[in-house]
Amino acid sequence: MEPDTILPAFAPWFDLAGLAVFAASGALAATRRGQTMVTLLFFALITGVGGGTLRDLLIGAPVFWIVDSRAATVCLAVGLLIWVTPERWWRGQALDWFDAAGLAAYAVYGAAKAIGYGVPPVPAFVMGVVTACVGGIIRDVLANEPSILMRPELYVTAAALAAALYVGLTYLALPGWIAAIIGASAGFALRAAAIHWQIHLPAYRGRR
């Protein structure tokens, strides 16, 4: 069973929109270092498809961007768009807000796909987080930036909230589209609050 039977009919397009946002973040990481177009396009692709690729390999699904050429096309097109447009277009927090929406939607989509392939609740939740976050982790490692896993900001936490709510509500027999809306909205709200008010998780302070 594919996630399209669990999520609304617009889910595949939601998926492509999330891909575009993550691809843009990867391309911008390359532009900030003055890299070549080839490097920029590679960053766009690997950031966009990284999380979904790992998810599909783990749940035994065909790797989505191998069987659907739209995914790689979207990532490369976004990278090319950033290459040919002025840098000032991509400044400010606009991309952060788009990324927040993509993060929440991707977490729900990844969890839904895992459930569609018969994955139990807890691993399905993990697959949602993997889908939303692994591409950004790969991007940060390649760009030699501190990984999102090593930052106190509420990023992975927002993805976890979205995936957990979706999985939990689905297994409480709530209709999939309602669970998806609630999960994605909560994840986006948490990430938006973190962006606006600079909310961080407390750091470990050692034994007292």
Side-chain angles (χ1 to χ4, degrees), residues 38-67:
V38 172
T39 302
L40 184 147
L41 294 177
F42 176 79
F43 266 63
L45 181 63
I46 199 67
T47 306
V49 305
T53 298
L54 180 58
R55 173 205 64 218
D56 288 348
L57 292 173
L58 289 172
I59 68 176
V63 177
F64 72 105
W65 64 277
I66 300 296
V67 298

Side-chain angles (χ1 to χ4, degrees), residues 33-124:
R33 283 158 179 74
Q35 296 298 318
T36 67
M37 184 175 70
V38 172
T39 302
L40 184 147
L41 294 177
F42 176 79
F43 266 63
L45 181 63
I46 199 67
T47 306
V49 305
T53 298
L54 180 58
R55 173 205 64 218
D56 288 348
L57 292 173
L58 289 172
I59 68 176
V63 177
F64 72 105
W65 64 277
I66 300 296
V67 298
D68 184 355
S69 62
R70 292 178 301 172
T73 301
V74 166
C75 292
L76 295 175
V78 169
L80 186 60
L81 175 66
I82 289 176
W83 176 260
V84 300
T85 51
E87 181 185 1
R88 66 178 182 274
W89 288 16
W90 307 100
R91 291 175 182 165
Q93 285 193 324
L95 191 64
D96 289 337
W97 293 102
F98 283 116
D99 182 73
L103 180 81
Y106 235 36
V108 168
Y109 189 85
K113 186 166 186 178
I115 291 172
Y117 276 83
V119 176
V122 173

